[in-house]
Amino acid sequence: MAAACSGADKKPAPGTSGLQASPAPPTSSSSSSESATGPTLKVLATQPTTDLFTFDTAGTETVSGGAVSVTLTNGTTVAHELRIFRLRDSDFNSFKIAVGQNGAAVATTLADLAYASPTVAAGKANTDTANLAPGSYALVCFLTAPDGKTYAQHGMFTRLEVTPAEALPTGSGSSATSTSSAAGGSGASASSGSTAPSSSSSSSGSSSSSSSSVTAN
C-alpha cells in the first residue's frame, strides 16, 4: 500500500498533464498518398432503369496521362467490364454511333484498345493500372446483355480526355529565388554598414580640421 500511495502522489513532469496520451485520430493519409502517386479514374457501373446501364465517373472527364489507377466498381446485379479505347480521329460521337449500329466488332477499326479490365461480378470492384497517352478515349462495356446486344449499346459508353502529364511543382525554384533575394537584401544592409565608417571618418576629419584652424589662430 505504501508503494501505491507513493506512485499516486508523484507529480507529473513539467509541461505534461500526467495522463496517458490519447491515440491520434484517423487521418486521410491513404487518399493523400493515392493522389500523390499519380492520376486516378474511378468508374461506377450503374443501372438507372431496366434497360439502361451507365458508367458513372463522378464528374471526371479529364485525367493526366501516364500510369493511371483505374477502379471499376460494379453497382448493378449483373457482371460488367471496362474497356478503354483511344480514338484514332478523336471523334467520340462517330465512334459511339458506329458501335451502336454494328456492335463491338467495329471498335478496333476506329480505335485502339488501351486497357481492358477483368470481368467484375455484381457488387465487386477491381483496380488496375492503365498506361494512357494523351488523346480522346471511350469507356465501354462489351459484355453481352440478355437481349444479345452489348452493354455499350445499352448506354455503357462514356467519353474521357487524357492530357499530357503534369510538370513537377516549381515551388522549390521560387523558394530559391526568394532566398537569393533575401541574401541580396542582407548584402545591401552590409553595404549600408560599410558606408557608416566613411561618414564617421569624414566627421572626424572635419573636427580635426576645425581644431587645427582654431590652434593656428
Side-chain angles (χ1 to χ4, degrees):
M1 290 296 292
C5 291
S6 174
D9 293 338
K10 188 176 181 181
K11 293 183 179 180
T16 65
S17 62
L19 300 177
Q20 185 176 1
S22 301
T27 63
S28 57
S29 58
S30 59
S31 59
S32 298
S33 62
E34 180 179 289
S35 60
T37 58
T40 62
L41 175 64
K42 295 185 179 181
V43 182
L44 174 65
T46 66
Q47 184 180 1
T49 66
T50 304
D51 216 27
L52 178 65
F53 295 83
T54 64
F55 279 143
D56 182 3
T57 61
T60 299
E61 298 178 349
T62 304
V63 296
S64 296
V68 180
S69 175
V70 179
T71 299
L72 171 62
T73 302
N74 189 351
T76 75
T77 57
V78 295
H80 288 292
E81 67 170 8
L82 172 64
R83 297 193 185 198
I84 305 179
F85 282 91
R86 187 174 186 272
L87 309 179
R88 294 174 189 167
D89 59 1
S90 300
D91 191 342
F92 176 81
N93 291 330
S94 294
F95 182 72
K96 184 175 182 179
I97 291 171
V99 170
Q101 294 175 345
N102 305 289
V106 74
T108 53
T109 66
L110 301 172
D112 300 304
L113 182 63
Y115 167 79
S117 77
T119 299
V120 179
K124 301 298 182 180
N126 177 77
T127 299
D128 281 325
T129 298
N131 291 307
L132 305 180
S136 297
Y137 289 76
L139 313 181
V140 301
C141 174
F142 279 158
L143 293 185
T144 305
D147 63 359
K149 294 182 178 180
T150 65
Y151 284 107
Q153 292 171 297
H154 280 278
M156 282 188 148
F157 218 115
T158 301
R159 181 172 190 161
L160 178 71
E161 293 295 324
V162 177
T163 60
E166 296 180 359
L168 292 173
T170 56
S172 56
S174 299
S175 299
T177 304
S178 300
T179 304
S180 298
S181 299
S186 299
S189 299
S191 294
S192 299
S194 63
T195 308
S198 292
S199 299
S200 183
S201 299
S202 193
S203 298
S204 294
S206 299
S207 299
S208 299
S209 220
S210 299
S211 298
S212 298
S213 298
V214 171
T215 304
N217 290 335

